[in-house]
Amino acid sequence: MASWVVSECSLRPFTAVKIHHKPRPSLPSNTINAFKFKPLPCSSFKVPTLWSKGRNLGGLGLLNVSAPLKVTITSEEDKGKEESAIDGVNNGEFDPGAAPPFKLSDIKAAIPKHCWVKDPWRSMSYVVRDVVVVFGLAAVAAYFNNWFVWPLYWIAQGTMFWALFVLGHDCGHGSFSNNPALNSVAGHLLHSSILVPYHGWRISHRTHHQNHGHVENDESWHPLSEKIYKSLDNATRLLRFTLPFPMLAYPIYLWSRSPGKKGSHFHPDSDLFVPNERKDIITSTACWTAMVGLLAYLSFTMGPMPLLKLYGIPYAIFVMWLDLVTYLHHHGHDEKLPWYRGKEWSYLRGGLTTLDRDYGWINNIHHDIGTHVIHHLFPQIPHYHLIEATEAAKPVLGKYYREPKKSGPLPFYLLGILIKSMRKDHYVSDIGDVVYY
């Protein structure tokens, strides 16, 4: 994963095209001579794309695309304006869709070396902490067993299920430890316990990181094109854009993915996976099935209602947390976020469209997953180093880093942002390489 990240896009020269400009007879010659038109050589970009079964989904491999012709103006004042636009500032205003003046390697160089160190003992200590809290909460709720305690338990336990998911998420990225076997065992135990197929999710989430910010190739909460949006039936539109339904979408996504995509996280022959990942998918699906069997057994032995109160409702709260956090890390900023296609997309530019969020007291509980920009660019950094790495990278990122709004003890302010975004952010244009909702 780390080697893929550092590679970004490769460039090779493209044959320059000579363009001859004929001045109009009606224009004075001195007006024509005030400008010098210089045809620029085009560049051939190799764009990393999502691959499935040995080929990318578009079936085109690596696409060769040429850069647009630029007109160079000779006056010093206009040269200054052109240079500012390259740095993301045009006419004094920041353009979030402009290519940044820094490279991925510049950001990496700014992050202290110890932030990349993975400590398996420290990672396991978080697992022990969270598991103890989960069982402790269940024991307290079962002991008191009254309707004053149960709602408090559901919220707290659902949040802890989400914390378990985040630790399994670290296992999937390899930021939990340098030991693949430990990552796999811990990831299966953590994710299977909350009904997530570990390898199926791990691979689709890798696809999300490799294509973040790309209209078609992104995997999680990517925008619908206008054509797909208008083809949806009313029921699908209602479920996708009317709260609370989108906040319960994750189990459906695991089975059938998003509109416009097909496949299942449970099926080894799904378009999500390549043939050599077949055994991994069978393994994670078997673990998920074993957890379903355990829950069915508990339902018979202790009764369906106690199981619903102890596990079922907290699971629903966990799904809401997952959908809320993942959605708001890519949507809902006061200034619209760009989405990319074709030659305009790159790993760096796509990663810079993600957002950090502040969750108040929940930051520590869910392992600082709100520190999302640096995580998206460098997912191999352990969660306990993300805050320090972000602070070190801010001077390099400049205006491309969007400082999150500070939360109170509980992040209730995020509900307003979510409602506003769900009302407005429905689709992007079918055409254009830099688009906005």
Side-chain angles (χ1 to χ4, degrees), residues 144-160:
F144 286 100
N145 192 22
N146 65 64
W147 288 105
F148 175 78
V149 172
W150 282 118
L152 298 177
Y153 165 77
W154 293 333
I155 295 172
Q157 191 71 296
T159 305
M160 290 309 302

PDB file of all heavy atoms in Angstrom, residues 144-160:
ATOM      1  N   PHE A 144     -28.838  -4.167  35.892  1.00  0.00           N
ATOM      2  CA  PHE A 144     -29.888  -3.232  36.286  1.00  0.00           C
ATOM      3  C   PHE A 144     -31.189  -3.500  35.521  1.00  0.00           C
ATOM      4  O   PHE A 144     -32.273  -3.406  36.094  1.00  0.00           O
ATOM      5  CB  PHE A 144     -29.425  -1.794  36.056  1.00  0.00           C
ATOM      6  CG  PHE A 144     -28.415  -1.320  37.060  1.00  0.00           C
ATOM      7  CD1 PHE A 144     -27.069  -1.294  36.759  1.00  0.00           C
ATOM      8  CD2 PHE A 144     -28.821  -0.923  38.328  1.00  0.00           C
ATOM      9  CE1 PHE A 144     -26.132  -0.867  37.688  1.00  0.00           C
ATOM     10  CE2 PHE A 144     -27.913  -0.487  39.270  1.00  0.00           C
ATOM     11  CZ  PHE A 144     -26.549  -0.464  38.948  1.00  0.00           C
ATOM     12  N   ASN A 145     -31.077  -3.780  34.233  1.00  0.00           N
ATOM     13  CA  ASN A 145     -32.216  -4.196  33.419  1.00  0.00           C
ATOM     14  C   ASN A 145     -33.456  -3.324  33.640  1.00  0.00           C
ATOM     15  O   ASN A 145     -34.541  -3.810  33.972  1.00  0.00           O
ATOM     16  CB  ASN A 145     -32.554  -5.663  33.699  1.00  0.00           C
ATOM     17  CG  ASN A 145     -33.530  -6.226  32.675  1.00  0.00           C
ATOM     18  OD1 ASN A 145     -33.646  -5.705  31.569  1.00  0.00           O
ATOM     19  ND2 ASN A 145     -34.243  -7.293  33.053  1.00  0.00           N
ATOM     20  N   ASN A 146     -33.304  -2.011  33.447  1.00  0.00           N
ATOM     21  CA  ASN A 146     -34.462  -1.122  33.526  1.00  0.00           C
ATOM     22  C   ASN A 146     -34.410  -0.120  32.376  1.00  0.00           C
ATOM     23  O   ASN A 146     -33.359   0.076  31.751  1.00  0.00           O
ATOM     24  CB  ASN A 146     -34.550  -0.415  34.885  1.00  0.00           C
ATOM     25  CG  ASN A 146     -33.392   0.535  35.124  1.00  0.00           C
ATOM     26  OD1 ASN A 146     -33.224   1.522  34.410  1.00  0.00           O
ATOM     27  ND2 ASN A 146     -32.574   0.242  36.143  1.00  0.00           N
ATOM     28  N   TRP A 147     -35.529   0.545  32.107  1.00  0.00           N
ATOM     29  CA  TRP A 147     -35.642   1.383  30.913  1.00  0.00           C
ATOM     30  C   TRP A 147     -35.003   2.749  31.074  1.00  0.00           C
ATOM     31  O   TRP A 147     -34.998   3.543  30.137  1.00  0.00           O
ATOM     32  CB  TRP A 147     -37.109   1.512  30.511  1.00  0.00           C
ATOM     33  CG  TRP A 147     -37.606   0.221  29.949  1.00  0.00           C
ATOM     34  CD1 TRP A 147     -38.413  -0.685  30.554  1.00  0.00           C
ATOM     35  CD2 TRP A 147     -37.258  -0.331  28.677  1.00  0.00           C
ATOM     36  NE1 TRP A 147     -38.609  -1.776  29.739  1.00  0.00           N
ATOM     37  CE2 TRP A 147     -37.918  -1.579  28.571  1.00  0.00           C
ATOM     38  CE3 TRP A 147     -36.470   0.090  27.613  1.00  0.00           C
ATOM     39  CZ2 TRP A 147     -37.802  -2.410  27.456  1.00  0.00           C
ATOM     40  CZ3 TRP A 147     -36.368  -0.715  26.490  1.00  0.00           C
ATOM     41  CH2 TRP A 147     -37.032  -1.960  26.425  1.00  0.00           C
ATOM     42  N   PHE A 148     -34.432   3.019  32.224  1.00  0.00           N
ATOM     43  CA  PHE A 148     -33.594   4.203  32.351  1.00  0.00           C
ATOM     44  C   PHE A 148     -32.181   3.904  31.870  1.00  0.00           C
ATOM     45  O   PHE A 148     -31.531   4.731  31.228  1.00  0.00           O
ATOM     46  CB  PHE A 148     -33.552   4.675  33.812  1.00  0.00           C
ATOM     47  CG  PHE A 148     -32.602   5.818  34.042  1.00  0.00           C
ATOM     48  CD1 PHE A 148     -32.946   7.115  33.695  1.00  0.00           C
ATOM     49  CD2 PHE A 148     -31.339   5.586  34.599  1.00  0.00           C
ATOM     50  CE1 PHE A 148     -32.066   8.167  33.899  1.00  0.00           C
ATOM     51  CE2 PHE A 148     -30.444   6.628  34.804  1.00  0.00           C
ATOM     52  CZ  PHE A 148     -30.815   7.930  34.453  1.00  0.00           C
ATOM     53  N   VAL A 149     -31.722   2.695  32.150  1.00  0.00           N
ATOM     54  CA  VAL A 149     -30.346   2.307  31.805  1.00  0.00           C
ATOM     55  C   VAL A 149     -30.218   1.918  30.339  1.00  0.00           C
ATOM     56  O   VAL A 149     -29.214   2.236  29.685  1.00  0.00           O
ATOM     57  CB  VAL A 149     -29.879   1.147  32.712  1.00  0.00           C
ATOM     58  CG1 VAL A 149     -28.531   0.582  32.249  1.00  0.00           C
ATOM     59  CG2 VAL A 149     -29.783   1.622  34.148  1.00  0.00           C
ATOM     60  N   TRP A 150     -31.234   1.238  29.781  1.00  0.00           N
ATOM     61  CA  TRP A 150     -31.078   0.683  28.441  1.00  0.00           C
ATOM     62  C   TRP A 150     -30.746   1.727  27.371  1.00  0.00           C
ATOM     63  O   TRP A 150     -29.818   1.509  26.577  1.00  0.00           O
ATOM     64  CB  TRP A 150     -32.331  -0.106  28.038  1.00  0.00           C
ATOM     65  CG  TRP A 150     -32.412  -1.476  28.658  1.00  0.00           C
ATOM     66  CD1 TRP A 150     -33.369  -1.928  29.512  1.00  0.00           C
ATOM     67  CD2 TRP A 150     -31.492  -2.553  28.481  1.00  0.00           C
ATOM     68  NE1 TRP A 150     -33.109  -3.212  29.889  1.00  0.00           N
ATOM     69  CE2 TRP A 150     -31.958  -3.631  29.265  1.00  0.00           C
ATOM     70  CE3 TRP A 150     -30.317  -2.726  27.761  1.00  0.00           C
ATOM     71  CZ2 TRP A 150     -31.305  -4.853  29.340  1.00  0.00           C
ATOM     72  CZ3 TRP A 150     -29.660  -3.940  27.820  1.00  0.00           C
ATOM     73  CH2 TRP A 150     -30.137  -4.988  28.593  1.00  0.00           C
ATOM     74  N   PRO A 151     -31.438   2.856  27.285  1.00  0.00           N
ATOM     75  CA  PRO A 151     -31.055   3.832  26.245  1.00  0.00           C
ATOM     76  C   PRO A 151     -29.624   4.337  26.383  1.00  0.00           C
ATOM     77  O   PRO A 151     -28.926   4.533  25.379  1.00  0.00           O
ATOM     78  CB  PRO A 151     -32.075   4.970  26.441  1.00  0.00           C
ATOM     79  CG  PRO A 151     -33.244   4.312  27.082  1.00  0.00           C
ATOM     80  CD  PRO A 151     -32.657   3.266  27.982  1.00  0.00           C
ATOM     81  N   LEU A 152     -29.187   4.544  27.629  1.00  0.00           N
ATOM     82  CA  LEU A 152     -27.803   4.965  27.838  1.00  0.00           C
ATOM     83  C   LEU A 152     -26.837   3.883  27.376  1.00  0.00           C
ATOM     84  O   LEU A 152     -25.793   4.159  26.766  1.00  0.00           O
ATOM     85  CB  LEU A 152     -27.570   5.284  29.321  1.00  0.00           C
ATOM     86  CG  LEU A 152     -28.413   6.426  29.906  1.00  0.00           C
ATOM     87  CD1 LEU A 152     -28.131   6.563  31.399  1.00  0.00           C
ATOM     88  CD2 LEU A 152     -28.106   7.735  29.193  1.00  0.00           C
ATOM     89  N   TYR A 153     -27.206   2.634  27.680  1.00  0.00           N
ATOM     90  CA  TYR A 153     -26.367   1.513  27.268  1.00  0.00           C
ATOM     91  C   TYR A 153     -26.282   1.421  25.750  1.00  0.00           C
ATOM     92  O   TYR A 153     -25.203   1.216  25.188  1.00  0.00           O
ATOM     93  CB  TYR A 153     -26.928   0.206  27.837  1.00  0.00           C
ATOM     94  CG  TYR A 153     -26.338  -1.027  27.181  1.00  0.00           C
ATOM     95  CD1 TYR A 153     -25.067  -1.473  27.512  1.00  0.00           C
ATOM     96  CD2 TYR A 153     -27.053  -1.732  26.203  1.00  0.00           C
ATOM     97  CE1 TYR A 153     -24.504  -2.591  26.902  1.00  0.00           C
ATOM     98  CE2 TYR A 153     -26.507  -2.849  25.590  1.00  0.00           C
ATOM     99  CZ  TYR A 153     -25.230  -3.268  25.942  1.00  0.00           C
ATOM    100  OH  TYR A 153     -24.685  -4.368  25.321  1.00  0.00           O
ATOM    101  N   TRP A 154     -27.401   1.573  25.055  1.00  0.00           N
ATOM    102  CA  TRP A 154     -27.398   1.434  23.598  1.00  0.00           C
ATOM    103  C   TRP A 154     -26.467   2.450  22.938  1.00  0.00           C
ATOM    104  O   TRP A 154     -25.703   2.107  22.038  1.00  0.00           O
ATOM    105  CB  TRP A 154     -28.825   1.600  23.063  1.00  0.00           C
ATOM    106  CG  TRP A 154     -29.741   0.494  23.488  1.00  0.00           C
ATOM    107  CD1 TRP A 154     -29.390  -0.799  23.798  1.00  0.00           C
ATOM    108  CD2 TRP A 154     -31.149   0.583  23.683  1.00  0.00           C
ATOM    109  NE1 TRP A 154     -30.493  -1.523  24.164  1.00  0.00           N
ATOM    110  CE2 TRP A 154     -31.592  -0.707  24.095  1.00  0.00           C
ATOM    111  CE3 TRP A 154     -32.090   1.606  23.544  1.00  0.00           C
ATOM    112  CZ2 TRP A 154     -32.935  -0.977  24.376  1.00  0.00           C
ATOM    113  CZ3 TRP A 154     -33.421   1.342  23.810  1.00  0.00           C
ATOM    114  CH2 TRP A 154     -33.845   0.065  24.223  1.00  0.00           C
ATOM    115  N   ILE A 155     -26.541   3.695  23.407  1.00  0.00           N
ATOM    116  CA  ILE A 155     -25.684   4.728  22.824  1.00  0.00           C
ATOM    117  C   ILE A 155     -24.217   4.447  23.120  1.00  0.00           C
ATOM    118  O   ILE A 155     -23.359   4.517  22.235  1.00  0.00           O
ATOM    119  CB  ILE A 155     -26.094   6.121  23.356  1.00  0.00           C
ATOM    120  CG1 ILE A 155     -27.506   6.466  22.881  1.00  0.00           C
ATOM    121  CG2 ILE A 155     -25.098   7.183  22.895  1.00  0.00           C
ATOM    122  CD1 ILE A 155     -28.078   7.724  23.512  1.00  0.00           C
ATOM    123  N   ALA A 156     -23.923   4.112  24.391  1.00  0.00           N
ATOM    124  CA  ALA A 156     -22.529   3.851  24.775  1.00  0.00           C
ATOM    125  C   ALA A 156     -21.983   2.611  24.079  1.00  0.00           C
ATOM    126  O   ALA A 156     -20.864   2.625  23.548  1.00  0.00           O
ATOM    127  CB  ALA A 156     -22.436   3.699  26.290  1.00  0.00           C
ATOM    128  N   GLN A 157     -22.761   1.539  24.044  1.00  0.00           N
ATOM    129  CA  GLN A 157     -22.265   0.300  23.455  1.00  0.00           C
ATOM    130  C   GLN A 157     -22.155   0.408  21.937  1.00  0.00           C
ATOM    131  O   GLN A 157     -21.204  -0.125  21.341  1.00  0.00           O
ATOM    132  CB  GLN A 157     -23.192  -0.871  23.827  1.00  0.00           C
ATOM    133  CG  GLN A 157     -22.649  -2.235  23.491  1.00  0.00           C
ATOM    134  CD  GLN A 157     -21.490  -2.645  24.384  1.00  0.00           C
ATOM    135  OE1 GLN A 157     -20.430  -2.002  24.368  1.00  0.00           O
ATOM    136  NE2 GLN A 157     -21.684  -3.703  25.155  1.00  0.00           N
ATOM    137  N   GLY A 158     -23.111   1.093  21.313  1.00  0.00           N
ATOM    138  CA  GLY A 158     -23.005   1.309  19.867  1.00  0.00           C
ATOM    139  C   GLY A 158     -21.749   2.090  19.516  1.00  0.00           C
ATOM    140  O   GLY A 158     -21.096   1.809  18.498  1.00  0.00           O
ATOM    141  N   THR A 159     -21.398   3.056  20.344  1.00  0.00           N
ATOM    142  CA  THR A 159     -20.164   3.816  20.138  1.00  0.00           C
ATOM    143  C   THR A 159     -18.939   2.937  20.321  1.00  0.00           C
ATOM    144  O   THR A 159     -17.953   3.060  19.579  1.00  0.00           O
ATOM    145  CB  THR A 159     -20.116   5.015  21.099  1.00  0.00           C
ATOM    146  OG1 THR A 159     -21.292   5.812  20.932  1.00  0.00           O
ATOM    147  CG2 THR A 159     -18.886   5.873  20.847  1.00  0.00           C
ATOM    148  N   MET A 160     -18.991   2.012  21.272  1.00  0.00           N
ATOM    149  CA  MET A 160     -17.867   1.103  21.478  1.00  0.00           C
ATOM    150  C   MET A 160     -17.747   0.094  20.337  1.00  0.00           C
ATOM    151  O   MET A 160     -16.635  -0.285  19.957  1.00  0.00           O
ATOM    152  CB  MET A 160     -18.012   0.367  22.816  1.00  0.00           C
ATOM    153  CG  MET A 160     -17.823   1.250  24.033  1.00  0.00           C
ATOM    154  SD  MET A 160     -16.308   2.236  23.980  1.00  0.00           S
ATOM    155  CE  MET A 160     -15.048   0.961  23.809  1.00  0.00           C
TER     156      MET A 160
END
